[in-house]
Amino acid sequence: MTLDVLYFAWLRERIGAPRERIETAAATVAELVAELVRRDDRHAAALSDLDAVRVAVDQQLAGLDTPLAGAREIAFFPPMTGG
Amino acid sequence: MRVVVQSERFDAGALLDGFGAGAGAVVTFTGLVRGDGGLVALDIEHYPGMTERALTSHAQAAMDRFGLADVLIVHRHGHLPVGEPIMMVATAARHRRAAFDAADFLMDWLKSRAPFWKREIGRGGPGAWVAARAEDETALGRWG
């Protein structure tokens, strides 16, 4: 499937791009993370500490075990600091 | 109910004109850029689309939970110099307790669940991304 992967704040800076379109067969967020980490050093550095990363699947907060079937947009970002 | 996400400065007075008319109690909270430690500005980034959806769904949750007459959330993004307003919430209810509690509830949620990220800008240029605070997460936990 084709996914748009978005990155925000310091994750965007470490990856070096705000978004990328990828082809993946990952069944869950965790499998997608493992694929991305294997891509290159930038992805590995950005996603090295998953305790410091939050994820949204189709703009809803999600977890590492969230399935990706039917998903179109995955976003990775630091803990949020609104207000 | 109204949710606004914008870069432009807002006029709280104008936004509150007529807000909650007939409700009995209106509570507002405005957050400003605080000039700590040589801070010049904050750069605030957000997740367009998800931000509006999340704020709208949480405004509705506050309406339902506290039986509010109205809710307003305004949150800015972009380059915000020290002293400028970052965001405001306003709640209108029949009695003050629900209005205060709802404003508190909305703020606790915004602090750790609204998809905004702040970067400090000092005199020498961009500095650190503001880290999430454990006490904000704890505060959100109060609401179950």
Side-chain angles (χ1 to χ4, degrees):
Chain A
M1 65 182 154
T2 305
L3 283 179
D4 286 320
V5 184
L6 280 59
Y7 304 100
F8 292 95
W10 56 257
L11 273 107
R12 182 190 67 254
E13 293 175 335
R14 287 188 194 175
I15 298 282
R19 64 192 300 150
E20 56 188 341
R21 180 160 287 182
I22 64 162
E23 282 296 324
T24 179
T28 64
V29 170
E31 286 182 24
L32 176 65
V33 169
E35 266 182 36
L36 291 169
V37 164
R38 286 195 296 270
R39 283 190 154 208
D40 57 39
D41 290 348
R42 284 179 170 272
H43 287 81
L47 298 166
S48 61
D49 178 10
L50 293 179
D51 285 343
V53 174
R54 301 291 179 266
V55 61
V57 175
D58 289 334
Q59 303 189 357
Q60 299 278 352
L61 282 176
L64 289 171
D65 55 354
T66 300
L68 293 181
R72 302 178 59 166
E73 182 175 290
I74 313 297
F76 293 100
F77 44 80
M80 294 157 275
T81 53
Chain B
M1 193 178 93
R2 190 171 167 212
V3 166
V4 182
V5 179
Q6 64 183 38
S7 57
E8 299 81 10
R9 192 167 177 153
F10 58 84
D11 178 344
L15 287 165
L16 290 168
D17 186 22
F19 178 83
V26 169
V27 165
T28 68
F29 172 87
T30 304
L32 310 174
V33 181
R34 197 174 45 234
D36 290 348
L39 191 77
V40 171
L42 286 176
D43 276 358
I44 300 182
E45 183 175 328
H46 77 119
Y47 182 170
M50 181 176 174
T51 308
E52 291 82 354
R53 284 171 64 169
L55 265 57
T56 300
S57 103
H58 216 69
Q60 187 60 57
M63 291 279 289
D64 297 344
R65 178 168 181 158
F66 298 96
L68 300 179
D70 205 356
V71 170
L72 167 70
I73 304 175
V74 184
H75 203 303
R76 295 174 68 195
H77 58 89
H79 185 79
L80 277 59
V82 164
E84 291 222 359
I86 301 171
M87 51 72 60
M88 70 175 288
V89 299
T91 57
R94 193 168 168 77
H95 299 292
R96 75 180 184 283
R97 181 49 49 207
F100 273 112
D101 286 350
D104 210 11
F105 168 79
L106 285 167
M107 284 310 306
D108 284 344
W109 180 84
L110 280 161
K111 280 283 176 190
S112 50
R113 291 292 182 279
F116 291 93
W117 300 277
K118 296 174 180 145
R119 179 177 223 159
E120 296 175 339
I121 309 296
R123 283 188 282 271
W129 290 94
V130 174
R133 300 181 338 147
E135 46 268 49
D136 288 333
E137 193 66 35
T138 304
L140 183 60
R142 293 183 300 152
W143 303 100

